[in-house]
Amino acid sequence: MRFSIKTKGFNDIIDITSQVLQVVRESALKDGICLISCPGSTCGITTMEYEEGLIKDFKRALEGIAPMSQDYEHCKKWGDCNGYAHIRSALIKPFLAVAIENGRLILGTWQQIVFLDFDNRPREREIMVKVLKG
Amino acid sequence: MRFSIKTKGFNDIIDITSQVLQVVRESALKDGICLISCPGSTCGITTMEYEEGLIKDFKRALEGIAPMSQDYEHCKKWGDCNGYAHIRSALIKPFLAVAIENGRLILGTWQQIVFLDFDNRPREREIMVKVLKG
Amino acid sequence: MRFSIKTKGFNDIIDITSQVLQVVRESALKDGICLISCPGSTCGITTMEYEEGLIKDFKRALEGIAPMSQDYEHCKKWGDCNGYAHIRSALIKPFLAVAIENGRLILGTWQQIVFLDFDNRPREREIMVKVLKG
């Protein structure tokens, strides 16, 4: 199963928990795991407390790891100046696995599933959700 | 299946390999994968050589990525000054998948499964272990 | 199923997409997930656009996170001076999960599966591929 989201790019961080929950509910799977992934090399999926302050903090930390303003070889060679986006994606990876028990995703109270669009333009992204029986 | 551990917080790094091995043994699964996860937004799960020197090295590297002493927006807004813990968790993620063959976890000789508690206080954590048939 | 690769170590980044694709094809699985992993504490698996410029960019970013030239406690205690390799492996992790649909790995056009050998010597590595029915 899959769903689409529109992003603003530039490290847009989007809470996709409710969409994933709906897919899990519709699957009627009681026990197992759920793989959330997105095909692409400029995005990431992880979990975090989806809170305005932390969203800023996370963006700042990512800026420290792979700055947007830095010169990247990828840009020099291809004129495609989203090198920072590729590096962030390779580090964070565009997939996440979550356990399912009694038909519920096992997440903490302050833990949301987030999609990160690192690319340097707005994008429409297709998120894949696979459920597997435990 | 699940088990509990007590942590000291503040980047406590705990070897949970033996507990995971026991769950896999009890499951009697011969071939597949094992998902180890923890609900929460201030912890992480990964593998490493669980050795005193490397434990220090890892803590230092994490300090470089998201310093404990830095000002975080999360703290300013909520008075909950564990912003570094949230950022580390979003980067490392609180889940890990390991292959199972002939009833054994496929790990290297110097590779242990470790739980990282980034939070700024001691915690009791519940680790989930799901085994799936390959 | 598994396959072997020879690496040069020192952050050698190797495209293993075609080998993984072959395993998935041979499995004849139509729908599910694929876990790619490698036992070891000095390697990583992720996805990226496998392009010369980005390969350099990624190596530079990793050098920022855990420099090869830095002093590591792991080296002081054990004389095994690949501390940077262990830290990079603990951060990136030696496993990856990819969705399978209609017998195909769900990857983006510019997204390859890469193996990273951080160790400070050439290695022969065994990559495990597990397919699971969705």
Side-chain angles (χ1 to χ4, degrees), chain B residues 48-97:
Chain B
M48 67 181 291
E49 183 182 340
Y50 195 74
E51 177 272 305
E52 208 184 321
L54 277 174
I55 290 169
K56 284 183 193 165
D57 293 328
F58 196 17
K59 289 180 180 185
R60 188 175 54 161
L62 291 166
E63 190 60 24
I65 292 167
M68 296 183 72
S69 60
Q70 195 174 271
D71 285 336
Y72 289 90
E73 295 292 326
H74 183 60
C75 178
K76 286 182 200 163
K77 277 182 177 277
W78 301 85
D80 188 9
C81 291
N82 60 354
Y84 75 95
H86 285 278
I87 301 307
R88 293 177 190 196
S89 178
L91 288 169
I92 297 197
K93 304 183 189 178
F95 84 94
L96 183 81

Side-chain angles (χ1 to χ4, degrees), chain A:
Chain A
M1 283 157 291
R2 45 179 83 191
F3 61 87
S4 289
I5 54 168
K6 284 181 196 293
T7 82
K8 294 174 188 162
F10 298 101
N11 303 293
D12 200 5
I13 301 179
I14 296 169
D15 181 356
I16 57 169
T17 315
S18 65
Q19 292 99 315
V20 176
L21 278 169
Q22 198 183 324
V23 171
V24 171
R25 244 182 260 121
E26 286 170 8
S27 78
L29 183 76
K30 287 298 166 213
D31 191 86
I33 71 165
C34 170
L35 181 80
I36 307 118
S37 65
C38 179
S41 53
T42 54
C43 58
I45 301 176
T46 186
T47 62
M48 67 181 290
E49 183 182 339
Y50 195 74
E51 177 271 305
E52 207 185 320
L54 277 174
I55 290 170
K56 284 184 193 165
D57 293 328
F58 196 17
K59 289 181 179 184
R60 187 173 56 161
L62 291 165
E63 189 60 25
I65 291 168
M68 295 184 73
S69 59
Q70 197 174 268
D71 285 336
Y72 289 89
E73 296 291 327
H74 183 60
C75 178
K76 286 182 200 163
K77 277 183 178 277
W78 301 85
D80 188 9
C81 292
N82 59 355
Y84 75 94
H86 285 277
I87 300 309
R88 294 177 188 196
S89 178
L91 287 169
I92 296 197
K93 304 183 190 178
F95 84 94
L96 182 82
V98 181
I100 297 171
E101 246 181 27
N102 301 319
R104 291 176 53 247
L105 285 173
I106 302 300
L107 293 171
T109 316
W110 312 108
Q111 184 185 21
Q112 281 80 47
I113 302 170
V114 293
F115 179 81
L116 299 93
D117 201 329
F118 303 123
D119 213 351
N120 58 354
R121 59 186 172 97
R123 297 282 302 256
E124 183 156 357
R125 300 282 196 174
E126 201 153 40
I127 316 288
M128 316 281 307
V129 184
K130 291 273 167 203
V131 296
L132 290 98
K133 205 164 169 278

Side-chain angles (χ1 to χ4, degrees), chain A residues 38-43 74 78 80 86 89 94 119 121 123-126, chain C residues 15 17-18 21 47-51 54 98 104-114:
Chain A
C38 179
S41 53
T42 54
C43 58
H74 183 60
W78 301 85
D80 188 9
H86 285 277
S89 178
D119 213 351
R121 59 186 172 97
R123 297 282 302 256
E124 183 156 357
R125 300 282 196 174
E126 201 153 40
Chain C
D15 182 356
T17 315
S18 65
L21 278 170
T47 62
M48 67 181 291
E49 182 182 340
Y50 194 74
E51 177 272 304
L54 276 174
V98 181
R104 292 175 53 247
L105 284 173
I106 302 300
L107 292 171
T109 316
W110 312 108
Q111 185 185 22
Q112 280 80 47
I113 301 170
V114 293

Side-chain angles (χ1 to χ4, degrees), chain B residues 7-78:
Chain B
T7 82
K8 294 175 188 161
F10 299 100
N11 303 293
D12 201 4
I13 300 179
I14 296 169
D15 182 356
I16 57 169
T17 315
S18 65
Q19 293 100 313
V20 176
L21 278 170
Q22 198 183 323
V23 171
V24 172
R25 243 182 260 120
E26 287 169 7
S27 78
L29 182 76
K30 287 297 165 213
D31 191 85
I33 70 165
C34 170
L35 182 81
I36 307 118
S37 65
C38 179
S41 53
T42 53
C43 58
I45 301 176
T46 187
T47 61
M48 67 181 291
E49 183 182 340
Y50 195 74
E51 177 272 305
E52 208 184 321
L54 277 174
I55 290 169
K56 284 183 193 165
D57 293 328
F58 196 17
K59 289 180 180 185
R60 188 175 54 161
L62 291 166
E63 190 60 24
I65 292 167
M68 296 183 72
S69 60
Q70 195 174 271
D71 285 336
Y72 289 90
E73 295 292 326
H74 183 60
C75 178
K76 286 182 200 163
K77 277 182 177 277
W78 301 85

